Amino acid sequence: MRTPLRGWAAAGLCLAALFASPALAAGPASTPAEAEATAWPGTIGLEVDATDLAHRLLRVRQRLPVTQAGPLTLWYARFLPGAHGPYGDVSRLAGLTVLAGDRRLPWQRDVTDPFAFHLSVPAGVSELQLEFQYAAPVKHGGDRISITREMLGVEWETVLLYPAGPAAAAIRVKPRLRLPPGWQPATALRSPAGQPARAGDDGWVDCAEVGLETLVDSPLFAGRYTRRIELDPPGTPHAVALNLVADEPGQLTATPAQIAAHKALAQQADRLFGHRPYRQYDFLLALSDEFGGIGLEHHESSENGLEGDYFSDWDKAIRGRELLPHEYVHAWNGKFRRPADLWTPHYNTPMRNSLLWVYEGLTQYWGHVLAARSGLSTAEQARDRLAAVAADALARSGRVWRNLQDTTNEATLGPGHAAEWEDWQRGSDYYDEGLLLWLEADTLIREKSGGKKSLDDFARSFFGRTPQQRADGSIQPLTYTFDELVTALNALQPHDWAGFWHERLNRTGTVAPLDGVSHAGWQLRWRTEESRFSAQERGWSGPEGDERPQDMAYSLGLRVTSDGKLDQVYWDSPAFQAGLAAGMQVLAVNERSYRPERLAAAVTANTGGKAPIQLLVKDGDHFFSARIDWRGGLRYPALERVGTTPDRLDAIYKPK
């Protein structure tokens, strides 16, 4: 029963007068320990009902202890770890009511920060009850699907409001979740008894009390068809597990060799870093053609979403098999050790991303390397992937005006912006270009040390430290700065590392960062046929239905889907100069209906310049002819050995 607001009006209370408008937090405290000194009194009780699969709704009930009357601001998470920017979506919160006993309290959203909710706590009240719903996406083609009839994912920051002021680690939460009948969860959260969380006969999953930071960093997958595979022998400290959730039970079947490769991932990471910086680690892996694709790091787990044929199509291509190694490396780089300007005390303070070329770029490099060392990919597949990365870097025309350091601001822009000319505007290039720069650093260390040292030694000295635990056992982040990074590299191998990084991060021009490839004893070359692995990658459609298009990026300068839609046109390429743009549709090639093989044949036929390619193109309601006189033939990237330089790639990819 709704309580009328007459009592508030009679008391002359006006919410607008109770609170200052700006609710955005000031800069972070200097260290995590300092920020956590002041705790919120009591424990927040959080109950989430996830049984309404038809409407994709998560129904939330929250009990918030309070100790004093007066103004209170509640925050909905805005700046999300792993996304590195303002990717919280408060528009999905609906039906918010706040009660003090049986009395309904009015609230007011901040006029300049829609993620802040203001209210006033009446005298004598010790607990507030909150209720609302999280409306998960229901339509494919929009935001990522996180709830289907067979599985779901819960990111806890989407289903709670928390009090403004204390650091997230200083707020205690006791979570529980109700699942549909027969479903089981997978999460880094543990039961009150310290065991992996399980659903009872009533569907409720009860988890131990944790800090808000740990809760938000411990998402939950659940489903009808699940399987848990231990990747360590019984009794191993800080054990690692692979938790599978699938559309169908057959998709959970993995061969012994496939399981062995995932076990080897944990072993090879041990040999790289030397110490596990977590209490336990849970890979959450959804295998689905409906559940949205995802790769998101957490300290003691990771969210991973790939197609349902992950195991059944194993031999065809590596596809998403560098995903798990990448997210796993983040347990060391990004979660345990974190850039100082990226760390924030809670989720409503803006992040600063100046070191994303380390956080993501170095992680991209080691994820690539660990996939090869563990057997998730072969050395040939790893070289194939590296060739694709190098070719894409070479094609980034926007390097002439936008340096790599500036791309670390990309996440700060937040959601909703589009790069119509991706190679010219640039985007999150610190991932793959970072990979190439860290490859160069690795090969430089190997070369200058005569093969006695490598970036592996840096991994152990800088990231393999023993973590500091809080009183509840959770791991406290250890931050790092650019100067500390440079000092550690110089201790390993003397060099002008500050100059090395400043020059490569801040330069503009046409030079692509391919020195690491050449120092490894290889070079980028062009072939007229795709490698067998690349061709199989192109035949794959991802969990969001995003078809891998026909790749003419390095010849005509375009990528086109099977129905002729232009997925991408490269800046100032032959296709660009012919007036083509993404979103148009190629209807015909040389007066015959478009087919991928016909476009490829037309490109080959014009190598002598005698048969320029004629395209019939549809642009909305308009049709026009485009003539492309490209004479370079088909061009697909590959790596080839050169000169007498040692094959350092072989040493880098070799298991330890």
Side-chain angles (χ1 to χ4, degrees):
M1 176 178 173
R2 297 195 175 192
T3 304
L5 301 183
R6 291 191 298 270
W8 286 94
L13 294 175
C14 175
L15 281 173
L18 286 173
F19 310 97
S21 293
L24 214 64
S30 58
T31 68
E34 290 174 358
E36 297 166 19
T38 303
W40 184 260
T43 299
I44 296 174
L46 177 64
E47 291 187 352
V48 180
D49 189 324
T51 59
D52 191 352
L53 302 179
H55 301 107
R56 274 59 166 176
L57 290 174
L58 300 176
R59 302 180 186 276
V60 182
R61 300 183 67 181
Q62 192 174 330
R63 301 184 310 280
L64 176 66
V66 292
T67 58
Q68 62 184 25
L72 174 66
T73 296
L74 300 177
W75 273 331
Y76 191 82
R78 182 175 188 178
F79 299 95
L80 303 185
H84 314 310
Y87 286 85
D89 188 358
V90 72
S91 70
R92 295 195 174 279
L93 182 152
L96 175 62
T97 61
V98 182
L99 298 174
D102 59 357
R103 184 180 188 182
R104 184 167 178 171
L105 305 184
W107 53 264
Q108 180 177 337
R109 194 190 302 259
D110 191 276
V111 295
T112 61
D113 179 8
F115 291 76
F117 297 82
H118 302 306
L119 55 93
S120 184
V121 179
V125 171
S126 60
E127 181 181 271
L128 301 181
Q129 299 86 41
L130 284 65
E131 293 188 14
F132 61 90
Q133 303 87 43
Y134 173 75
V138 298
K139 298 177 182 177
H140 287 274
D143 291 340
R144 187 181 69 86
I145 298 297
S146 59
I147 300 177
T148 75
R149 296 279 185 172
E150 309 300 336
M151 66 180 66
L152 59 82
V154 175
E155 294 174 333
W156 297 101
E157 73 275 7
T158 67
V159 291
L160 64 84
L161 293 169
Y162 69 98
I171 300 172
R172 305 296 292 174
V173 186
K174 177 69 171 64
R176 64 195 310 253
L177 176 84
R178 187 184 180 192
L179 293 174
W183 285 36
Q184 286 296 338
T187 177
L189 296 176
R190 290 317 191 233
S191 71
Q195 300 301 313
R198 300 285 293 173
D201 293 340
D202 58 359
W204 281 102
V205 181
D206 285 292
C207 301
E209 177 185 314
V210 292
L212 178 59
E213 180 182 270
T214 299
L215 179 66
V216 170
D217 207 31
S218 304
L220 180 146
F221 280 9
R224 193 182 310 276
Y225 306 112
T226 63
R227 181 184 180 188
R228 180 178 174 90
I229 302 173
E230 301 293 342
L231 300 184
D232 285 312
T236 300
H238 315 293
V240 182
L242 175 62
N243 300 272
L244 305 176
V245 186
D247 287 338
E248 303 172 6
Q251 295 168 334
L252 301 172
T253 301
T255 67
Q258 291 167 342
I259 294 174
H262 290 86
K263 290 182 176 181
L265 171 59
Q267 296 163 2
Q268 289 298 319
D270 288 344
R271 293 164 190 169
L272 177 63
F273 294 107
H275 190 281
R276 295 183 176 183
Y278 46 74
R279 293 169 294 181
Q280 71 280 322
Y281 191 92
D282 286 272
F283 287 105
L284 313 182
L285 177 55
L287 305 177
S288 174
D289 300 327
E290 296 291 329
F291 188 81
I294 188 173
L296 187 59
E297 69 272 13
H298 301 281
H299 197 151
E300 297 181 322
S301 64
S302 56
E303 297 173 81
N304 306 276
L306 295 169
E307 274 208 325
D309 59 3
Y310 177 75
F311 290 117
S312 61
D313 275 6
W314 187 271
D315 295 331
K316 292 182 179 179
I318 65 172
R319 296 183 179 171
R321 295 209 297 275
E322 287 190 359
L323 175 62
L324 269 65
H326 176 100
E327 304 306 341
Y328 189 43
V329 168
H330 271 313
W332 287 266
N333 181 21
K335 288 301 179 178
F336 166 45
R337 299 230 58 187
R338 192 173 309 175
D341 63 351
L342 185 59
W343 175 85
T344 58
H346 49 67
Y347 314 109
N348 292 73
T349 294
M351 300 168 178
R352 296 159 178 82
N353 293 325
S354 67
L355 293 178
L356 281 185
W357 54 274
V358 187
Y359 183 114
E360 295 291 3
L362 180 54
T363 297
Q364 191 82 334
Y365 176 66
W366 275 330
H368 172 71
V369 169
L370 285 176
R373 290 182 183 177
S374 65
L376 288 169
S377 66
T378 65
E380 181 183 1
Q381 290 170 327
R383 289 193 300 270
D384 214 38
R385 178 61 60 84
L386 184 59
V389 169
D392 184 71
L394 192 64
R396 290 281 164 169
S397 56
R399 186 178 293 105
V400 301
W401 72 272
R402 188 180 186 191
N403 62 38
L404 184 64
Q405 183 63 61
D406 188 65
T407 70
T408 63
N409 294 307
E410 192 71 16
T412 309
L413 298 177
H417 66 282
E420 306 295 348
W421 306 97
E422 182 181 340
D423 61 301
W424 178 246
Q425 294 171 261
R426 306 194 77 178
S428 301
D429 292 8
Y430 46 82
Y431 279 88
D432 280 345
E433 195 159 319
L435 182 159
L436 293 170
L437 291 179
W438 283 103
L439 171 63
E440 183 181 357
D442 196 356
T443 55
L444 179 61
I445 293 169
R446 292 170 187 266
E447 182 180 6
K448 291 177 74 71
S449 68
K452 296 179 181 179
K453 301 175 183 177
S454 73
L455 207 60
D456 289 27
D457 299 292
F458 174 70
R460 285 187 288 275
S461 64
F462 197 73
F463 293 97
R465 301 184 185 183
T466 302
Q468 180 178 345
Q469 290 186 300
R470 301 184 178 98
D472 67 355
S474 62
I475 307 300
Q476 192 167 70
L478 177 62
T479 61
Y480 61 84
T481 65
F482 176 79
D483 289 343
E484 290 172 329
L485 187 86
V486 166
T487 298
L489 286 169
N490 275 317
L492 173 64
Q493 178 60 56
H495 185 69
D496 180 14
W497 288 108
F500 175 94
W501 290 115
H502 283 310
E503 194 274 330
R504 285 156 180 77
L505 293 169
N506 297 315
R507 68 187 174 193
T508 55
T510 59
V511 178
L514 304 185
D515 286 350
V517 176
S518 59
H519 290 165
W522 296 77
Q523 62 183 353
L524 181 65
R525 288 287 186 263
W526 302 107
R527 296 179 179 174
T528 58
E529 293 183 358
E530 287 185 280
S531 72
R532 58 193 178 111
F533 300 117
S534 295
Q536 288 159 347
E537 293 278 1
R538 184 165 55 81
W540 176 50
S541 294
E544 296 295 323
D546 51 336
E547 176 190 343
R548 300 305 190 264
Q550 182 181 14
D551 193 352
M552 296 282 176
Y554 313 115
S555 51
L556 301 183
L558 57 80
R559 289 190 168 106
V560 56
T561 60
S562 58
D563 62 355
K565 289 285 181 67
L566 293 178
D567 181 72
Q568 183 178 0
V569 173
Y570 282 71
W571 186 265
D572 207 28
S573 66
F576 180 96
Q577 294 172 0
L580 302 185
M584 297 178 183
Q585 184 177 14
V586 177
L587 300 177
V589 180
N590 293 341
E591 300 183 346
R592 300 188 70 187
S593 61
Y594 167 77
R595 292 181 184 173
E597 61 272 19
R598 286 175 179 166
L599 182 57
V603 172
T604 300
N606 192 48
T607 52
K610 297 181 179 180
I613 303 160
Q614 298 288 341
L615 302 177
L616 176 61
V617 181
K618 183 176 184 291
D619 181 10
D621 292 334
H622 298 272
F623 297 81
F624 67 95
S625 295
R627 182 178 184 271
I628 304 178
D629 190 13
W630 164 258
R631 303 183 183 187
L634 297 171
R635 300 208 320 167
Y636 300 105
L639 293 187
E640 292 183 356
R641 280 282 287 136
V642 291
T644 58
T645 304
D647 184 358
R648 296 191 174 97
L649 272 188
D650 180 67
I652 289 170
Y653 291 153
K654 187 172 294 183
K656 304 304 177 185

